[in-house]
Amino acid sequence: MLLFVDCCISYRGDRSRSHALCEAFLESYKKAHPAEDIEVVNLQRMALKPFDQFSTDDRNALRNVKAFDAPIFKLARQFRRADRIVIGAPLRDLTFPAMLRVYIEYICVREVTYHYDNGVCKGDCMAQKLAYLTVSGGEEPEENLGTEYWRQLCQRFGIKEFCHVEAYGLDTRPEEGEAIMAAACEKARELAKSF
């Protein structure tokens, strides 16, 4: 099963460039893997609430008694069992939109997606690969914190292969915007074939 985490937030709506990049990947993936199921987590439709003191306490209480079938762990269980994972989001404030950070809080669950063994973090996720697809109207920041964030999360989750495709400078270089986007979409299609 391929898990697609859709955080393609844009004022452009149906013309979202991050969504176009993800669609290029997904269409190519479906052609290369016609029998494989794709599950979609649409973060805009879910409206996840950030954890506060009380919800954190409630979640910890459930974790302490190993009640991992509770609804609060549903996203973590889904993330853990996925064979491959694709994350799509625009670059926002050097990383990604806040709702993706909230999603990460839901999937980072000790004894579901990772555990500690003698003080060493070990991943428990089934996925062998995770791809992070992102776009920005501005230029690529010197340190792409969003990409690096997902690279490190892969290490925590035990996901061995991390891939990424970016399209930057879409507004700062408007004369090149179409070409930049086309090149990124082609890279995404190629990645999807062997993903």
Side-chain angles (χ1 to χ4, degrees):
M1 180 267 288
L2 175 76
L3 177 64
F4 170 42
V5 181
D6 181 354
C7 188
C8 299
I9 304 164
S10 173
Y11 68 87
R12 291 178 175 83
D14 293 341
R15 298 178 297 111
S16 162
R17 297 178 296 196
S18 55
H19 192 263
L21 183 59
C22 291
E23 278 301 304
F25 180 98
L26 292 170
E27 286 171 11
S28 179
Y29 188 87
K30 288 172 191 172
K31 286 179 185 173
H33 309 84
E36 189 158 345
D37 292 331
I38 297 176
E39 288 187 23
V40 179
V41 174
N42 187 315
L43 296 183
Q44 293 185 82
R45 292 187 186 144
M46 295 187 77
L48 295 174
K49 293 183 179 178
F51 285 97
D52 59 18
Q53 174 190 342
F54 304 106
S55 54
T56 298
D57 288 348
D58 290 344
R59 183 170 81 157
N60 288 343
L62 289 166
R63 191 190 66 212
N64 290 341
V65 296
K66 301 189 182 305
F68 296 119
D69 57 344
I72 195 70
F73 300 121
K74 180 181 177 182
L75 292 171
R77 293 193 309 267
Q78 180 189 46
F79 193 90
R80 176 183 173 155
R81 76 170 188 271
D83 300 308
R84 289 167 181 78
I85 300 165
V86 179
I87 314 287
L91 179 69
R92 186 76 53 83
D93 302 324
L94 301 180
T95 56
F96 36 69
M99 67 175 60
L100 185 52
R101 177 63 186 88
V102 173
Y103 173 76
I104 291 168
E105 288 189 18
Y106 279 81
I107 62 172
C108 284
V109 180
R110 197 175 73 233
E111 297 182 60
V112 176
T113 50
Y114 69 96
H115 69 279
Y116 284 97
D117 184 5
N118 293 322
V120 178
C121 184
K122 303 279 183 79
D124 292 318
C125 291
M126 293 175 59
Q128 295 297 307
K129 299 180 180 183
L130 184 145
Y132 180 57
L133 312 178
T134 186
V135 305
S136 175
E139 298 299 325
E140 180 175 3
E142 194 171 318
E143 294 183 11
N144 187 330
L145 302 178
T147 300
E148 187 56 34
Y149 200 123
W150 278 104
R151 185 190 313 278
Q152 292 190 33
L153 283 171
C154 283
Q155 293 172 5
R156 165 166 281 197
F157 296 139
I159 300 171
K160 294 180 176 64
E161 189 173 337
F162 173 71
C163 314
H164 55 99
V165 178
E166 294 107 354
Y168 291 134
L170 297 172
D171 296 332
T172 54
R173 290 177 279 150
E175 70 287 352
E176 300 174 46
E178 266 188 51
I180 293 169
M181 196 66 203
C185 286
E186 185 55 32
K187 186 176 177 183
R189 289 186 193 97
E190 288 302 311
L191 173 62
K193 290 176 184 176
S194 58
F195 194 71

